[in-house]
């Protein structure tokens, strides 16, 4: 098999074939590591990848092929969001004529079992993807010995070394806990996705997407949920108007919000975990979830042995992708928060647009009662927003909070990335009846904002 | 209400912006000459600017005070008529009147209602019934997610219909307010054209400089024995009770949507189509996929069957006789066999308005009929029978006639949806059309089990398809059949209309986990059709061999 590699921007035959065990050694078989291995192998590289044995809850010695996304992130989270969403759907169905006589019961153990079955299946699929691609699978914890040597360790102390021309580090990140008394009583998202029992009362600390998603999940499953965050609104970094809508929706669904509040202490009682806040309030919870951020999983890699720089939180700096022929493009990356209802955005928030703008920006917003709610009588508005450069007419950002927002925003992300203007949007005929068509029918400017009057946001 | 509302962008600047290329690679999906609007003088058929001074903008088609009762009289307050009337009045300062019949769920020669088909007997009630009927599938899905019911949920048809009708009443009121707030005079009754500048409603005559016909269409059925026992879509949306066993004759979107509705509400559903497959004109793969998915949900399709007669038996049940056999035991037989423009008895023939053999009013690109002062938009012209298109036509008409800016509706890359279960969303060409037009086409297909189905255990699948011109790499068609397809396709439609390439799609990061992200992650062509280059290769060989 002819092996070619990109060396200093030029494709070169591997002159030093035999000098290294592998062309590429990947540490970590998550989304990035698997994609990198698979594609490298498809170009003819000899690739090995090491990963820890599978377990839903990660640890020093446990992980699994597929990584965070497949095993303890995107996939199980989405499954739980689906499961939790049914409660709201049952409520909505009544005014559409459905009668549910008797109890509706939610069996958490059954969902957990089916969820686990699916992630086990996907874990197997990922292993097959790698072996089918000709990648060598090695089990164990990888760390660096030097710039071309990886050491794979086992819990029993045994180690094995491998050399490689290139090493790819893709060990992902891990949930972190805040350092307060009683922190060992709290769980992280790993455990939350695999709880033995569904909590009746849940306390969540955090204002990011993970905190918000779990708040929606547990509330949908019938728990009482108290959500604590340090800022005035959750989801810092997102468009302020959208943050406010998300918060209002969470409240509308029965989640109790505690803005500007931190937790100061946890202690165990006969009745559950006693939670004390920095405002002196106390509550009792069955489960306390710390969703207070994730840190890069770089501590045990021995990066300094190879001279790899890390920043203060442990993230690896200055990655260079083979000859710099293909740099990842971080512009206009769309994303979603799977709260119920979800939020999805692409491009700039209003605040970001004002910071970067040279000319005025036009803001178009549409807030409406989705058609389904006209019958279900659920009091929950959908909000959609476009941020437009007044001079170039370019759509700088699009955001939506409402049912199906993530599915809807994807297509708009394609348009936005390619520089679509408001005129492009407006000249596109709507699909009727849908929520998405609102994005192509916003004719009236809600407000025009000049960059000089930048609102300082510290929410 | 200001006579001339300030637009955020002037119309001409909007048009100029439209020609901007989208990316360095160039998006040439916009027609050449898009900006070359003919001057008013160059359009022989448009009225010359009015010489009499009447109001601020004499050239906008407004008439002298006293010469006509109105600048515009619109017959029919549906999507097209309301949009045109409202815009003519608020944006362009015209004096407008609109006539519409009193509200009823079932249309007739005397009954209709503000909002028209879309609001009262089409898009809106249909979507509400789709929502209502979808729950049965969701109850089934929920089991795999841990939900159980002491007793199976039951559906009460009358609650659904009553709540639907309450919503329709509310919407009629909203449309009344919309028109009142726009300064449009509402006249209740059936309008009939008396002469090119006169409309009669309930015996009273109204003159107008321009008349707009927006009377829409009505369900049409063949004249076969027993047709009096058959219901149409109007009636189906307002039945007194849920059908136990229903025969739906028709293979178009209306037939499929009602099949899904009644099946979701646990009726026994049989669909009879004349063709081999449903949804003629749709992408072949989509046609196969949707009927397979619908069959898996319990709907029975009877293909290549033409209806010949319906008979009612003593027990009240109906039988449907086709060219092949007779099927009995139906509580209801519904025909969804097409819609016809509602042009009878409007005075059109007498005044000289040309119509085609289907009764559709013939119009030019500006929606003008064969009579200078009479115009028509929406389903009555039978161009593209979709509400957003009627809105586009109504707006373009108002701008042309009263805004002093001739504007043609743009029919390129119109997205549309079928709210079957699962639903369909599409924009651009089918695979067959793409091959016909481009010859060399790369076809990307994804057919997969969505995440929800791996847990629900139900056989639901999703089909997603991108068609790319192999020469230019432009995405010329996108199709999807699966949950949320209509919502997903909307954003994609902007990209297709703007002529974006497959590379543009691929450069966009996916939103994870969704179904939609599949559209930006299809890396390998499922098949590559080479018709054009194959022909070129052949002819080249010919030349060589001749030497």
């Amino acid at each position: 098999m002819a092996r070619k590699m990109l060396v200093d921007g030029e494709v070169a035959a591997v002159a030093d074939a035999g000098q290294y065990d592998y062309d590429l050694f990947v540490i970590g078989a998550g989304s990035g590591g698997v994609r990198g291995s698979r594609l490298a192998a498809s170009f003819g590289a000899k690739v090995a990848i090491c990963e820890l044995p599978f377990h839903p809850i990660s640890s020093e010695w446990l992980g699994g092929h597929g990584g965070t996304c497949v095993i303890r992130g995107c996939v199980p989270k989405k499954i739980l969001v689906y499961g939790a969403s049914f409660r709201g759907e049952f409520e909505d169905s009544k005014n559409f004529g459905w009668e549910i006589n008797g109890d509706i019961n939610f069996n958490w153990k059954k969902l957990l079992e089916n969820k686990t079955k699916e992630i086990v299946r996907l874990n197997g699929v990922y292993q097959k993807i790698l072996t089918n691609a000709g990648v060598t699978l090695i089990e164990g914890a990888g760390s660096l010995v030097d710039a071309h040597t990886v050491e794979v360790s086992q819990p029993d102390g045994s180690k094995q070394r491998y050399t490689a021309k290139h090493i790819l580090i893709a060990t992902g990140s891990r949930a972190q806990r805040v350092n307060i008394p009683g922190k060992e009583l709290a769980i992280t998202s790993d455990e939350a996705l695999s709880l033995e029992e569904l909590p009746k009362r849940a306390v969540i600390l955090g204002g990011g997407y993970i905190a918000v998603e779990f708040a929606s999940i547990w509330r949908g499953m019938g728990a009482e949920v108290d959500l604590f965050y340090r800022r005035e609104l959750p989801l810092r970094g997102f468009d302020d108007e959208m943050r406010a809508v998300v918060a209002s929706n969470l409240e509308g669904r029965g989640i109790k919000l505690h803005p500007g509040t931190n937790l100061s202490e946890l202690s165990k009682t006969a009745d559950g975990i006693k939670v004390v806040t920095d405002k002196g309030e106390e509550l009792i919870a069955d489960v306390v979830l710390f969703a207070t951020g994730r840190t890069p999983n770089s501590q045990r890699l021995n990066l300094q042995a190879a001279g790899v720089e890390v920043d203060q939180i442990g993230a690896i700096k200055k990655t260079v992708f083979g000859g710099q022929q293909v740099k990842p493009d971080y512009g206009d990356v769309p994303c979603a928060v799977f709260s119920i209802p979800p939020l999805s955005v692409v491009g700039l928030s209003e605040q970001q647009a004002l910071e970067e703008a040279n000319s005025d920006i036009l803001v178009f917003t549409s807030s409406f009662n989705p058609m389904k709610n006209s019958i279900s009588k659920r009091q929950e508005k959908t909000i959609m927003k476009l941020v437009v450069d007044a001079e170039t007419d370019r759509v700088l950002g699009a955001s939506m909070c409402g049912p199906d927002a993530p599915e809807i925003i994807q297509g708009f992300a394609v348009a936005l990335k390619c520089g679509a203007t408001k005129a492009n949007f407006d000249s596109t005929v709507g699909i009727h009846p849908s929520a998405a068509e609102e994005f192509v029918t916003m004719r009236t400017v809600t407000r025009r904002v000049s960059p000089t009057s930048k609102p300082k946001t510290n929410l | 209400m200001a006579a001339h509302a300030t637009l955020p962008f002037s119309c001409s600047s909007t048009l100029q912006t439209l020609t901007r290329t989208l990316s360095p690679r160039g998006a040439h999906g916009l027609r050449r000459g898009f900006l070359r609007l003919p001057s008013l003088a160059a359009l022989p058929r448009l009225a010359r600017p009015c010489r009499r001074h009447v109001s601020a903008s004499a050239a906008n088609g407004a008439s002298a005070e006293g010469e006509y009762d109105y600048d515009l009289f619109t017959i029919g307050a549906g999507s097209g008529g309301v949009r045109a009337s409202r815009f003519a009045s608020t944006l362009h300062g015209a004096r407008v009147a609109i006539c519409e019949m009193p509200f009823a769920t079932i249309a007739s020669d005397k009954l209709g209602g503000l909002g028209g088909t879309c609001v009262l007997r089409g898009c809106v009630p249909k979507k509400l019934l789709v929502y209502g009927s979808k729950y049965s599938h969701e109850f089934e899905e929920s089991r795999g997610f841990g939900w159980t019911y002491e007793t199976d949920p039951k559906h009460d048809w009358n609650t659904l219909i009553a709540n639907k009708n309450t919503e329709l009443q509310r919407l009629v009121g909203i449309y009344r307010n919309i028109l009142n707030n726009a300064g449009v005079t509402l006249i209740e009754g059936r309008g009939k054209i008396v002469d090119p500048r006169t409309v009669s409603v309930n015996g009273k005559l109204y003159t107008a400089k321009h008349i707009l016909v927006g009377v829409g269409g009505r369900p049409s059925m063949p004249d076969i024995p027993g047709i009096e026992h058959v219901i149409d879509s109007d009636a189906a949306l307002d039945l007194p009770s849920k059908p136990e066993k229903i025969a739906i004759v028709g293979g178009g979107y209306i037939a499929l949507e009602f099949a899904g509705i009644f099946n979701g509400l646990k009726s026994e559903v049989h669909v009879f189509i004349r063709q081999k497959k449903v949804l003629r004109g749709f992408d072949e793969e989509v046609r196969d996929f949707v009927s397979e998915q619908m069959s898996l949900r319990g709907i029975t399709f009877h293909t290549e069957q033409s209806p010949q007669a319906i008979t009612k038996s003593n027990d009240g049940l109906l039988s449907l006789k086709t060219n092949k056999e007779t099927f009995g035991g139906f509580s209801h037989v519904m025909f969804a066999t097409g819609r016809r423009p509602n042009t009878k008895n409007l005075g059109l023939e007498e005044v000289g308005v040309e119509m085609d053999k289907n009764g559709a009013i013939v119009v030019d690109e500006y929606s003008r009929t064969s009579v200078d002062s009479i115009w028509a938009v929406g389903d009555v012209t039978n161009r593209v029978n979709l509400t957003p298109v009627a809105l586009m036509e109504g707006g373009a008409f108002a701008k042309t006639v009263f805004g002093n800016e001739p504007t043609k509706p743009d029919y390129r890359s119109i997205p549309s949806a079928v709210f079957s279960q699962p639903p369909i969303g599409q924009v651009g060409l089918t695979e067959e059309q793409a091959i016909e037009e481009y010859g060399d086409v790369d076809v990307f297909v994804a057919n997969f089990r969505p995440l929800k189905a791996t847990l629900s255990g139900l056989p639901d699948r999703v089909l997603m398809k991108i068609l790319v011109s192999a020469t230019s790499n432009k995405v010329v068609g996108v199709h999807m059949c699966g949950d949320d397809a209509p919502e997903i396709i909307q954003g994609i439609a902007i990209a297709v209309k703007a002529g974006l390439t497959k590379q543009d799609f691929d450069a966009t990061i996916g939103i994870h986990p969704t179904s939609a992200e599949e559209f930006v992650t299809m890396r390998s062509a499922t098949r590559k059709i080479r018709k054009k280059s194959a022909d070129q290769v052949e002819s080249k060989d010919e030349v060589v061999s001749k030497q």
Side-chain angles (χ1 to χ4, degrees):
Chain A
M1 184 168 60
R3 301 200 318 250
K4 294 190 180 62
M5 287 193 327
L6 219 50
V7 178
D8 295 330
E10 306 220 337
V11 175
V14 181
D16 44 12
Q19 183 191 348
Y20 297 109
D21 297 327
Y22 296 100
D23 300 319
L24 172 66
F25 196 103
V26 180
I27 307 177
S31 302
V34 170
R35 175 59 61 95
S37 315
R38 199 162 66 75
L39 285 190
S42 77
F43 292 133
K46 185 178 177 193
V47 184
I49 187 167
C50 74
E51 177 55 63
L52 301 169
F54 167 79
H55 194 280
I57 297 171
S58 67
S59 73
E60 218 182 307
W61 297 105
L62 296 168
H65 294 87
T68 300
C69 168
V70 170
I71 303 171
R72 47 195 98 72
C74 321
V75 173
K77 164 272 282 296
K78 190 83 191 272
I79 290 173
L80 295 195
V81 169
Y82 278 140
S85 299
F86 285 106
R87 175 179 300 279
E89 297 298 328
F90 301 150
E91 286 165 9
D92 291 349
S93 74
K94 292 197 176 78
N95 283 331
F96 281 93
W98 289 94
E99 294 160 357
I100 305 170
N101 293 317
D103 289 334
I104 307 176
N105 295 309
F106 176 64
N107 184 346
W108 161 248
K109 283 194 166 54
K110 171 149 189 204
L111 177 56
L112 179 63
E113 194 184 301
N114 287 347
K115 181 269 285 183
T116 305
K117 227 187 283 179
E118 176 63 5
I119 68 177
V120 166
R121 185 187 76 86
L122 288 170
N123 169 253
V125 166
Y126 269 74
Q127 290 182 56
K128 228 186 247 133
I129 284 175
L130 289 165
T131 47
N132 286 349
V135 175
T136 304
L137 270 66
I138 297 167
E139 188 173 276
S143 60
L144 298 184
V145 176
D146 60 47
H148 292 282
T149 313
V150 175
E151 183 171 86
V152 180
S153 315
Q154 306 303 329
D156 65 3
S158 57
K159 296 177 200 294
Q160 179 106 352
R161 289 188 176 193
Y162 306 88
T163 57
K165 181 139 173 77
H166 295 280
I167 297 170
L168 177 64
I169 299 168
T171 47
S173 63
R174 296 273 302 280
Q176 62 171 1
R177 294 161 191 263
V178 287
N179 196 10
I180 61 171
K183 67 174 191 269
E184 63 281 358
L185 296 170
I187 61 169
T188 68
S189 57
D190 282 17
E191 291 84 11
L193 289 166
S194 292
L195 287 173
E196 278 293 307
E197 300 266 337
L198 186 66
K200 289 199 177 56
R201 304 157 297 182
V203 161
I204 302 173
L205 175 64
Y209 74 94
I210 297 177
V212 164
E213 287 175 350
F214 274 99
S216 289
I217 287 169
W218 280 330
R219 182 71 197 128
M221 292 177 181
E224 277 203 29
V225 179
D226 284 81
L227 178 64
F228 293 83
Y229 43 92
R230 288 178 304 181
R231 303 271 167 171
E232 280 313 300
L233 290 172
L235 299 178
R236 183 169 59 110
F238 283 82
D239 183 283
D240 285 343
E241 213 171 349
M242 289 297 158
R243 295 167 73 192
V245 171
V246 169
S248 151
N249 286 343
L250 293 174
E251 261 183 331
R253 296 259 177 168
I255 294 158
K256 282 168 267 179
L257 301 181
H258 304 267
T261 312
N262 209 339
L263 302 186
S264 51
E265 185 186 328
L266 305 177
S267 55
K268 196 161 182 170
T269 73
D271 197 25
I273 302 170
K274 184 168 102 172
V275 178
V276 181
T277 77
D278 63 358
K279 295 203 163 102
E281 294 154 342
E282 290 183 6
L283 351 77
I284 306 283
D286 302 305
V287 157
V288 175
L289 168 67
F290 282 172
T292 43
R294 294 176 64 87
T295 48
N297 202 9
S298 55
Q299 298 81 356
R300 294 163 55 226
L301 288 170
N302 196 25
L303 294 170
Q304 55 273 24
V308 176
E309 288 178 55
V310 291
D311 67 13
Q312 66 267 44
I313 62 163
I316 294 173
K317 288 158 66 167
K318 288 203 268 187
T319 57
V320 172
F321 289 78
Q324 306 201 22
Q325 292 280 5
V326 184
K327 279 199 234 180
D329 179 357
Y330 294 98
D332 290 324
V333 174
C335 72
V337 175
F338 287 89
S339 45
I340 300 170
L343 166 73
S344 189
V345 307
V346 63
L348 305 176
S349 68
E350 184 177 341
Q351 292 74 43
Q352 287 167 332
L354 284 170
E355 268 165 50
E356 298 183 18
N358 296 318
S359 46
D360 288 359
I361 67 150
L362 301 173
V363 178
F364 296 80
T365 50
S366 178
S367 170
F368 59 92
N369 205 21
M371 188 195 264
K372 202 171 174 182
N373 292 0
S374 66
I375 301 287
S376 74
K377 300 300 178 205
R378 178 174 291 281
Q379 299 301 314
E380 195 174 76
K381 287 218 159 99
T382 287
I383 175 161
M384 294 162 80
K385 181 167 175 172
L386 291 177
V387 175
V388 178
D389 184 314
E391 199 170 291
T392 63
D393 201 36
R394 187 169 167 170
V395 178
L396 303 170
S399 50
M400 173 177 179
C401 183
D404 307 318
E407 300 285 1
I408 290 170
I409 290 284
Q410 180 71 83
F412 291 97
V414 178
L416 218 95
K417 188 159 179 100
C418 297
T421 60
K422 182 67 166 57
N424 288 126
F425 273 55
D426 293 347
S427 73
T428 302
V429 177
I431 294 177
H432 185 70
S434 69
E437 64 178 311
E438 200 66 21
F439 269 131
V440 300
T441 52
M442 291 192 211
R443 299 285 178 258
T444 320
V445 182
T446 307
R447 57 181 168 275
R448 183 183 185 113
V449 192
S450 302
T452 47
S453 62
K454 291 172 202 196
K456 290 281 175 228
T457 174
N458 199 25
L459 296 171
Chain B
M1 203 105 225
H4 298 279
T6 316
L7 294 171
F9 319 97
S10 76
C11 299
S12 53
S13 77
T14 304
L15 290 164
Q16 279 161 23
T17 328
L18 273 169
T19 62
R20 287 215 187 121
T21 53
L22 279 190
S23 70
R25 279 158 292 204
H28 299 295
L30 299 159
R31 247 200 307 242
R32 260 172 267 121
F34 187 82
L35 261 189
R36 283 189 287 108
L37 297 175
S39 65
L40 269 180
L43 281 176
R45 303 189 69 206
L46 269 182
R48 291 273 145 73
C50 189
R51 295 231 156 81
R52 274 174 276 213
H53 176 73
V54 286
S55 58
S57 49
N60 72 347
S63 49
E65 303 266 350
E67 187 184 345
Y68 297 105
D69 297 328
Y70 297 99
D71 301 317
L72 171 66
F73 195 104
T74 303
I75 305 177
S79 302
V82 170
R83 174 57 60 96
S85 306
R86 200 159 71 79
F87 276 26
S89 175
T90 58
L91 298 182
H92 310 299
R95 290 171 304 136
V96 184
I98 188 167
C99 71
E100 176 55 63
M101 298 182 287
F103 166 62
T105 52
I106 297 175
S108 71
D109 288 341
K110 294 188 168 53
L111 297 168
L114 299 171
T117 299
C118 169
V119 174
L120 304 174
R121 314 167 197 94
C123 322
V124 173
K126 161 280 274 305
K127 189 87 191 272
L128 293 175
L129 261 56
V130 168
Y131 278 137
S133 57
K134 265 172 65 176
Y135 286 108
S136 61
H137 193 69
E138 286 170 44
F139 293 136
E140 260 189 85
E141 286 178 313
S142 73
R143 294 202 167 95
F145 288 88
W147 295 90
T148 54
Y149 318 90
E150 237 176 71
T151 49
D152 272 345
K154 286 195 170 40
H155 188 258
D156 178 58
W157 170 262
N158 289 319
T159 301
L160 175 59
I161 297 299
N163 288 347
K164 179 268 288 179
N165 285 339
T166 304
E167 175 63 5
L168 296 190
Q169 295 276 9
R170 187 184 77 87
L171 290 169
V172 167
I174 286 177
Y175 270 75
R176 185 172 296 116
N177 291 340
I178 284 175
L179 289 164
N180 283 330
N181 291 344
V184 174
T185 305
L186 266 73
I187 298 164
E188 191 175 75
R190 190 179 187 285
K192 187 167 175 172
I193 295 177
V194 171
D195 70 46
R197 312 270 194 184
T198 312
V199 177
S200 134
V201 184
N202 294 332
K204 197 161 174 221
L205 295 177
Y206 305 88
T207 58
K209 190 153 162 65
H210 300 277
I211 297 172
L212 176 66
V213 180
V215 299
R218 297 271 301 280
S220 77
M221 295 200 264
D223 188 18
I224 58 176
I227 201 72
E228 65 274 14
H229 302 303
V230 168
I231 58 169
D232 61 16
S233 57
D234 285 12
L237 288 167
D238 208 36
L239 290 172
S241 62
K242 184 196 79 173
E244 283 304 311
K245 181 175 169 184
I246 183 166
I248 299 176
V249 177
Y253 77 92
I254 297 179
L256 292 198
E257 288 176 350
F258 276 96
I261 288 169
F262 291 124
N263 184 59
L265 297 177
K266 303 297 174 199
S267 306
E268 187 184 327
V269 178
H270 293 256
V271 178
F272 294 83
I273 64 178
R274 280 180 310 180
Q275 310 277 327
K276 283 196 172 70
K277 299 186 199 181
V278 300
L279 293 180
R280 188 163 55 119
F282 281 66
D283 184 274
E284 289 302 311
E285 244 174 322
V286 171
R287 299 173 78 184
D288 292 330
F289 187 87
V290 74
S291 47
E292 193 187 323
Q293 286 287 299
M294 288 176 72
S295 302
L296 287 168
R297 296 205 191 191
I299 293 165
T300 309
F301 288 95
H302 307 265
T303 57
E304 295 178 289
Q305 308 249 7
S306 291
Q308 290 181 337
I310 302 95
T311 47
K312 191 166 187 171
S313 48
N314 292 332
D315 57 5
L317 295 177
L318 299 167
S319 300
L320 173 70
K321 177 173 187 286
T322 72
N323 58 329
K324 285 190 177 164
E325 38 186 311
T326 300
F327 302 81
F330 295 109
S331 61
H332 297 76
V333 174
M334 174 183 172
F335 271 50
T337 46
R339 293 176 65 86
R340 283 214 130 113
N342 199 13
T343 45
K344 288 204 165 53
N345 205 21
L346 275 175
L348 294 170
E349 300 88 341
E350 294 87 331
V351 81
V353 168
E354 192 190 332
M355 290 178 279
D356 70 16
K357 60 175 165 41
N358 295 320
I361 297 178
V362 175
V363 290
D364 69 8
E365 290 169 307
Y366 296 93
S367 299
R368 184 182 231 155
T369 71
S370 54
V371 176
D372 270 7
S373 60
I374 301 179
W375 311 72
V377 294
D379 287 7
V380 77
T381 62
N382 203 29
R383 285 173 284 185
V384 179
N385 297 337
L386 296 168
T387 287
V389 174
L391 296 175
M392 173 173 65
E393 290 168 354
F397 154 79
K399 202 185 275 186
T400 298
V401 178
F402 301 102
N404 204 22
E405 216 176 311
T407 307
K408 295 186 214 181
D410 182 358
Y411 294 95
R412 294 169 302 148
S413 297
I414 294 175
S416 65
V418 177
F419 289 90
S420 43
Q421 297 174 45
I424 296 166
Q426 60 175 13
V427 62
L429 307 175
T430 65
E431 183 173 342
E432 300 71 41
Q433 290 167 335
I435 294 170
E436 176 81 32
E437 191 166 326
Y438 293 94
D440 294 349
V441 176
D442 291 339
V443 182
F444 296 78
V445 182
N447 180 330
F448 59 94
R449 197 127 185 253
L451 179 61
K452 205 171 186 184
T454 61
L455 259 91
S456 73
L458 297 176
D460 304 335
R461 296 188 74 86
V462 176
L463 175 75
M464 293 167 78
K465 188 165 171 173
I466 299 179
L467 299 157
V468 182
S469 157
T471 334
S472 63
N473 279 311
K474 267 204 286 188
V475 174
V476 299
V478 180
H479 305 262
M480 176 173 178
C481 181
D483 275 350
D484 305 321
E487 298 286 1
I488 290 171
I489 290 287
Q490 180 69 85
I492 304 275
I494 301 184
V496 172
K497 182 156 187 167
L500 296 192
T501 62
K502 181 66 167 58
Q503 284 69 23
D504 293 326
F505 275 60
D506 293 347
T508 305
I509 302 265
I511 297 177
H512 185 69
T514 61
S515 291
E517 63 178 309
E518 201 65 24
F519 273 133
V520 300
T521 52
M522 291 194 216
R523 299 286 178 256
S524 323
T526 310
R527 52 184 169 273
K528 296 187 179 195
I529 315 289
R530 297 289 179 266
K531 286 254 149 74
K532 192 158 70 179
S533 44
D535 290 342
Q536 285 167 359
V537 167
E538 271 169 42
S539 59
K540 198 172 160 203
D541 284 346
E542 248 184 74
V543 170
V544 167
S545 64
K546 271 184 191 154
Q547 286 170 345

